Amino acid sequence: MVQQWCIRVGRRQGEQRRRALLEQGVLDLTLKPRKDGESVLFPVLAMLEGCTREEFEAHPVIEDLPRHELIGGIAIMQDRDPGEAERLLVSRPSIHTVLFPESDVEGDFRTRRFEVLAGQPTTRTRYIEHGHRFDIDLSVAYFSGRLSTERQRILSSMETGECVLDMFAGVGPYAITLAGKAGLVVASDLNPGAVQLLVRNLSLNRTRNVLAVLADASHLTRVFPRRFNRVIMNLPLGAVRFLPCAVNLCLPGGVIHCYALQEKEGEFLPEIEQYPVSDVCERYVRSYSPGRWHAVYDITRE
Ligand code: SAM
């Protein structure tokens, strides 16, 4: 407990007075206000009129850690700073490795190269999303937890028993999430390392209604008949060129979720509207870089 100057206010006026103290810049933000009977006690930085000295509990100190993205037990730092990486490593027991990306997301497999800055020399970890477990290896196959809300949005828009095609499945975050409601999910990817992890993740989550396929998405029309109620196209830099294939595989009235990285609203609408579609709804998903964002086009097949 810490002693500080204190303003005593009736509970009903508490919020109004707190805002006023905040605006005046006199509220001591390092300490927790507290209740005392019908009053609220606010710690203040100056000896204001009517002040008394009281004891307050300090807010926990928020550590000033270097900027990083956390994926399971791996922290990815934005700066190549081994000293800061060590500090990050010891800050949380759940972090086993700190990485620095040596490249952007690149190539057909959409992976990055990493340097290990601290901790165990690995790019493999386990990530948990809405109760599902995923073994991932960031240098072998693409993975991002940033689309978890988007996966839940699609899950909640689905009817039970749907037949779903995930054309660019990676290690299976969409496929395994949507399998919870689907009758069958066909999950395909070009990257053998991703498909291996996908199969491992199916077994980790005891998912029994996903068919894992190693294939180029453009070949899928030769293998499968048109039978899917929903098609997921999460290849933001190139999905649109696979639209002819997705449209052929989607049942009339079915929905195609086509992700795109774009710089202006409706950038891909003219291209999409060349296909037999009855409705297109464009949504903002997340920011990517200044002036560029991930969008999803929810396309209803005619
Ligand atoms: N859907 C996964 C996710 O959300 O984590 C992975 C998305 S990642 C952006 C795109 C994936 O598409 C990669 O795993 C890559 O290997 C795969 N890919 C790229 N070109 C492909 C193609 N022509 N056919 C099938 N898969 C492809």
Side-chain angles (χ1 to χ4, degrees):
M1 296 293 263
V2 180
Q3 272 220 347
Q4 179 58 293
W5 292 110
C6 160
I7 290 281
R8 181 181 289 269
V9 182
R11 276 166 78 165
R12 283 191 176 179
Q13 295 86 49
E15 183 50 24
Q16 196 185 354
R17 204 55 203 283
R18 187 188 71 81
R19 284 189 196 174
L21 292 169
L22 202 58
E23 273 169 27
Q24 289 166 37
V26 290
L27 191 63
D28 186 342
L29 296 170
T30 65
L31 301 177
K32 291 182 182 172
R34 65 182 168 88
K35 289 179 192 151
D36 182 26
E38 286 307 297
S39 305
V40 188
L41 308 187
F42 288 109
V44 287
L45 296 163
M47 199 179 73
L48 306 177
E49 202 182 325
C51 262
T52 54
R53 288 296 272 184
E54 298 289 345
E55 295 212 309
F56 291 96
E57 199 183 322
H59 278 298
V61 177
I62 297 164
E63 267 182 281
D64 184 20
L65 292 172
R67 288 184 69 184
H68 65 280
E69 180 188 352
L70 205 56
I71 305 182
I74 292 181
I76 304 174
M77 270 178 58
Q78 294 188 350
D79 298 312
R80 196 180 166 282
D81 186 335
E84 285 292 275
E86 282 296 340
R87 210 160 68 78
L88 190 55
L89 185 69
V90 296
S91 71
R92 289 194 204 152
S94 62
I95 299 179
H96 58 73
T97 302
V98 182
L99 301 177
F100 173 71
E102 286 180 323
S103 73
D104 276 339
V105 174
E106 61 184 13
D108 279 347
F109 296 168
R110 313 309 297 142
T111 47
R112 282 189 284 181
R113 283 173 283 117
F114 293 97
E115 176 186 341
V116 177
L117 292 183
Q120 295 167 24
T122 183
T123 49
R124 200 172 170 123
T125 193
R126 182 166 290 179
Y127 170 84
I128 298 177
E129 183 178 296
H130 289 274
H132 292 121
R133 293 174 294 164
F134 297 96
D135 273 356
I136 61 182
D137 189 330
L138 296 171
S139 57
V140 169
Y142 174 93
F143 185 80
S144 168
R146 290 183 173 148
L147 291 181
S148 63
T149 311
E150 178 56 19
R151 297 191 252 278
Q152 292 300 312
R153 177 185 77 87
I154 294 183
L155 179 69
S156 63
S157 72
M158 275 175 63
E159 302 284 338
T160 305
E162 282 187 9
C163 208
V164 178
L165 171 63
D166 186 356
M167 289 174 84
F168 310 102
V171 305
Y174 276 88
I176 290 171
T177 303
L178 305 187
K181 256 192 188 172
L184 175 73
V185 180
V186 172
S188 173
D189 202 285
L190 185 65
N191 176 358
V195 176
Q196 239 173 19
L197 285 160
L198 163 65
V199 171
R200 157 127 195 96
N201 291 331
L202 294 178
S203 130
L204 254 184
N205 293 284
R206 297 195 174 85
T207 306
R208 308 215 190 284
N209 55 343
V210 174
L211 174 64
V213 178
L214 173 63
D216 187 313
S218 60
H219 296 158
L220 296 174
T221 38
R222 293 198 227 148
V223 184
F224 296 99
R226 183 200 292 181
R227 54 170 298 185
F228 296 96
N229 306 99
R230 197 170 294 271
V231 180
I232 312 294
M233 304 181 79
N234 182 20
L235 182 65
L237 271 176
V240 175
R241 83 189 141 90
F242 292 91
L243 263 178
C245 183
V247 166
N248 276 330
L249 288 162
C250 189
L251 288 164
V255 181
I256 300 167
H257 303 279
C258 181
Y259 294 84
L261 201 53
Q262 64 183 28
E263 287 173 10
K264 67 178 181 36
E265 259 178 59
E267 193 170 320
F268 293 98
L269 272 179
E271 206 164 333
I272 292 169
E273 282 168 352
Q274 287 175 18
Y275 297 98
V277 300
S278 61
D279 187 48
V280 185
C281 175
E282 177 193 354
R283 292 168 201 277
Y284 170 94
V285 178
R286 71 178 190 97
S287 155
Y288 181 76
S289 58
R292 281 181 110 190
W293 67 94
H294 273 145
V296 58
Y297 292 86
D298 295 339
I299 304 164
T300 307
R301 174 76 163 88
E302 202 169 82

